[in-house]
Amino acid sequence: MMTSTKVKPLLVNYKTLEEFKRFKEYGNQELAMLEDLESNIVENDSESPFFGVYYGSALVARMSLYRVRAKYDKYFVPPQDYLELWKLEVLPDYRDMGFGKDLVEFAKSFELPIKTNPRINSHGFWEKMGFQKANYDVERDLGENPLIWMPTGVEERNANA
Amino acid sequence: MMTSTKVKPLLVNYKTLEEFKRFKEYGNQELAMLEDLESNIVENDSESPFFGVYYGSALVARMSLYRVRAKYDKYFVPPQDYLELWKLEVLPDYRDMGFGKDLVEFAKSFELPIKTNPRINSHGFWEKMGFQKANYDVERDLGENPLIWMPTGVEERNANA
């Protein structure tokens, strides 16, 4: 099995933020990072929740990861810290090269449960990565279609109980 | 100004769930409603969080609305009940007929603040409807691009304070 050494934490700087513009899911998060950098609220090269894969010198895949604290956990038993994963995206010319898998394997390597809200039509990928549909609960999930992955010993919480 | 009398609450039944299949954002929520109906966990014609617009006998537009309680409010000052709006969608053949606007006007008629997480490329519509970008806060928003609308007297909370 390949190791995930290709996956790098991404630092907040103008070069990275420029590269982010090539990704479809460019939104409030990236705009806020840019504003914070421009107004010196964050330092250049400060930590970001993003991890990426470079191909040569180009950022070709990325994801965001955030550790949600146990007291906010509504998904797992026992309640515990888990990772929210979002904006997993591989640029069109670099698909089917395993970069999406590398990123998800990297996320799993923390051995915490993971929750994501996938885009429509990506369920095949997530199923291959061992993710399963969480039981839908309108109050918790609203417009989300949450998928979860659990390391050994963790169970899904019964949201409706 | 037209009234929004065209907007109807949608009840959970097999006919409505069949009509939902024509919408792009068909996901865990609809599948859970179908399962609950099939296993008699919910009664036929029970309430749903959906509202819709019919054109003749066909459901051509819909949205979901959920009242989030003040104690969970992380967006507004003072903290208060607000409406989460999601799955606003008009079927392709029925666009530019004002149905999206009718649904949003209906949501506004409750005179509660509204929060939504729009799909990419729909910002022009939301701006016309008086919605504004919430200040992005990674811990609260994660992968969302929240837009908010506030009735008179309500202000946005400073998420980073």
Side-chain angles (χ1 to χ4, degrees), chain B residues 46-62:
Chain B
S46 54
E47 275 186 44
S48 87
F50 283 98
F51 295 84
V53 175
Y54 284 89
Y55 192 76
S57 63
L59 180 68
V60 299
R62 69 167 193 179

Side-chain angles (χ1 to χ4, degrees), chain A residues 24-25 27-29 31-32 35 49 66 72 84 86-87 120 123 133-134 136 138-139 142-146, chain B residues 24-25 27-29 31-32 35 49 66 68 72 84 86-87 120 123 133-134 136 138-139 142-146:
Chain A
K24 198 172 161 185
E25 289 191 80
N28 288 16
Q29 186 183 5
L31 291 168
E35 279 168 23
Y66 187 85
Y72 299 113
E84 176 92 22
W86 72 97
K87 292 194 183 172
I120 290 165
H123 275 78
K133 256 184 8 182
Y136 183 81
V138 69
E139 190 169 355
L142 303 168
E144 293 204 350
N145 300 297
Chain B
K24 198 173 162 187
E25 290 191 80
N28 288 16
Q29 186 183 7
L31 292 168
E35 279 168 24
Y66 187 85
V68 179
Y72 299 112
E84 175 94 22
W86 72 98
K87 292 192 182 171
I120 290 165
H123 275 79
K133 257 187 2 186
Y136 183 80
V138 68
E139 189 168 358
L142 302 170
E144 293 204 350
N145 300 299

Side-chain angles (χ1 to χ4, degrees), chain A residues 25 84-88 115-127 131-134 143-148, chain B residues 25-28:
Chain A
E25 289 191 80
E84 176 92 22
L85 189 166
W86 72 97
K87 292 194 183 172
L88 176 69
K115 182 236 147 185
T116 191
N117 176 37
R119 277 174 292 169
I120 290 165
N121 299 328
S122 64
H123 275 78
F125 169 79
W126 290 105
E127 208 173 295
F131 282 66
Q132 63 187 63
K133 256 184 8 182
E144 293 204 350
N145 300 297
L147 290 178
I148 53 176
Chain B
E25 290 191 80
Y26 184 95
N28 288 16

Side-chain angles (χ1 to χ4, degrees), chain B residues 90-152:
Chain B
V90 181
L91 293 181
D93 292 346
Y94 302 89
R95 295 198 181 146
D96 303 316
M97 294 168 77
F99 297 143
K101 183 169 183 283
D102 288 342
L103 285 164
V104 176
E105 297 284 4
F106 178 84
K108 286 181 178 176
S109 71
F110 293 93
E111 298 191 18
L112 293 170
I114 304 172
K115 181 235 147 186
T116 191
N117 176 37
R119 277 173 293 169
I120 290 165
N121 299 328
S122 63
H123 275 79
F125 170 79
W126 290 105
E127 207 173 296
K128 260 186 274 179
M129 297 309 298
F131 282 65
Q132 63 187 63
K133 257 187 2 186
N135 290 316
Y136 183 80
D137 173 51
V138 68
E139 189 168 358
R140 181 190 68 187
D141 301 325
L142 302 170
E144 293 204 350
N145 300 299
L147 289 178
I148 53 176
W149 174 84
M150 291 162 286
T152 311

